Amino acid sequence: MLYSVKMRSSRGGRRGAGGRHISGAERIVPEEAVEETAAAMLRRARTHERGRADFIQIRVEEVRDGDIRTCPLLPVSTRAAETAAEGRAAARDELIRAGVSPQAADAGLAALAALTDSMRGAMVLDSRTGCRLDGLGDRGVRCTNMDAADSADYDRKMAARGLGGDHPREALVLASKVAAAPGTVAELCWSDDPQYVTGYVGSPRFGYRRIPVLKEKGDPVGGRIFFAAPGTDMGAYIHYMQEETVLVEAKP
Ligand code: AMP
């Protein structure tokens, strides 16, 4: 039996409602790993760069075997960039290569650059027109219920390639689930973490294209855009992102 362990933390709200999001994490682990996973999340929530949380919630839930799907881990490669401006130009180019129109790529980059505080989720934009499709306002679409299928194996492989640590792990697992969604053309992301300036463009065609600099150091605002093909059923798309459990399998 597997368990979903989720943590979210915030500051300045009332009993977790409202306030500023500080951090979140999720894992899908076997029963014997539930305790240590929850303890590690608690530690992380209390020492986050974005500030000290005054609300931390940890939720543990059984996952039924029949509800689990798998998808492949995206291949990772790096696209060189030395400044945020170079990184954003590279991201635009990667998005277009992956099938996003120039107009939609520009709309996505502008939408992320215009954020004054981080959203909890991602904006979904039409990959041709750049119009917002999800209708979920400041919250956006949360992609949840995913993890590496075999965590120990995953950590070993990624560490060997210099991609160890929480950030790359979570981003790559999330990007793999997103790329496997029917309708996804590409994804663009940079982090909320003020010290973590690396971002990526993910796509089913070219995998996870890591971009070393996508924002200025010290900037606490990050964001994500999912670019969906015109005509994508948004109800099904959002359901896949938010509800379906997906385990990401690394190639042997
Ligand atoms: P992070 O890489 O965790 O710093 O997140 C960067 C941005 O991506 C956040 O500001 C959110 O807008 C978005 N985001 C974070 N987690 C998710 C998620 N699970 N699903 C969709 N968007 C997310």
Side-chain angles (χ1 to χ4, degrees):
M1 175 68 74
L2 293 175
Y3 288 80
S4 155
V5 185
K6 288 185 177 167
M7 178 279 288
R8 69 183 180 97
S9 74
S10 61
R11 177 168 185 79
R14 255 184 82 76
R15 299 217 163 119
R20 184 160 190 264
H21 169 72
I22 300 276
S23 69
E26 70 168 285
R27 299 290 311 278
I28 297 170
V29 298
E31 186 165 8
E32 59 276 14
V34 168
E35 246 181 82
E36 85 184 71
T37 303
M41 285 181 183
L42 188 57
R43 231 176 358 254
R44 182 170 161 188
R46 293 169 78 180
T47 56
H48 203 270
E49 295 268 3
R50 274 165 66 79
R52 195 180 63 81
D54 61 11
F55 175 88
I56 301 171
Q57 183 180 61
I58 293 186
R59 195 172 85 177
V60 178
E61 196 181 353
E62 244 177 57
V63 186
R64 276 187 301 241
D65 286 349
D67 293 343
I68 300 172
R69 301 208 214 178
T70 60
C71 79
L73 183 71
L74 289 181
V76 183
S77 54
T78 298
R79 164 95 190 223
E82 287 182 5
T83 62
E86 257 178 54
R88 290 189 191 185
R92 181 178 190 273
D93 189 52
E94 289 294 331
L95 288 169
I96 294 168
R97 229 161 60 91
V100 174
S101 75
Q103 178 189 344
D106 287 337
L109 282 156
L112 288 196
L115 288 173
T116 52
D117 195 7
S118 296
M119 294 166 55
R120 286 200 62 224
M123 301 181 219
V124 184
L125 300 190
D126 183 298
S127 67
R128 193 160 59 200
T129 64
C131 291
R132 182 94 184 252
L133 297 176
D134 56 282
L136 293 174
D138 289 346
R139 178 183 183 278
V141 177
R142 292 280 301 165
C143 180
T144 71
N145 301 316
M146 69 257 166
D147 200 349
D150 179 341
S151 277
D153 175 62
Y154 177 93
D155 288 343
R156 214 169 27 247
K157 284 181 178 144
M158 290 299 132
R161 302 180 52 186
L163 294 168
D166 285 338
H167 260 301
R169 177 199 174 90
E170 283 165 10
L172 184 52
V173 167
L174 186 150
S176 299
K177 178 176 174 182
V178 170
T184 295
V185 175
E187 178 194 356
L188 167 67
C189 167
W190 61 81
S191 171
D192 304 338
D193 186 329
Q195 300 308 314
Y196 195 75
V197 296
T198 302
Y200 65 87
V201 169
S203 71
R205 272 161 93 173
F206 298 106
Y208 185 98
R209 295 283 285 157
R210 190 169 173 275
I211 302 175
V213 194
L214 265 178
K215 68 170 191 180
E216 305 296 342
K217 212 165 195 149
D219 181 352
V221 182
R224 268 194 168 85
I225 311 260
F226 302 157
F227 292 91
T232 300
D233 176 341
M234 256 319 101
Y237 194 76
I238 293 171
H239 184 268
Y240 169 90
M241 294 295 176
Q242 302 195 154
E243 310 295 337
E244 291 182 26
T245 300
V246 176
L247 292 179
V248 178
E249 291 181 323
K251 281 205 192 103

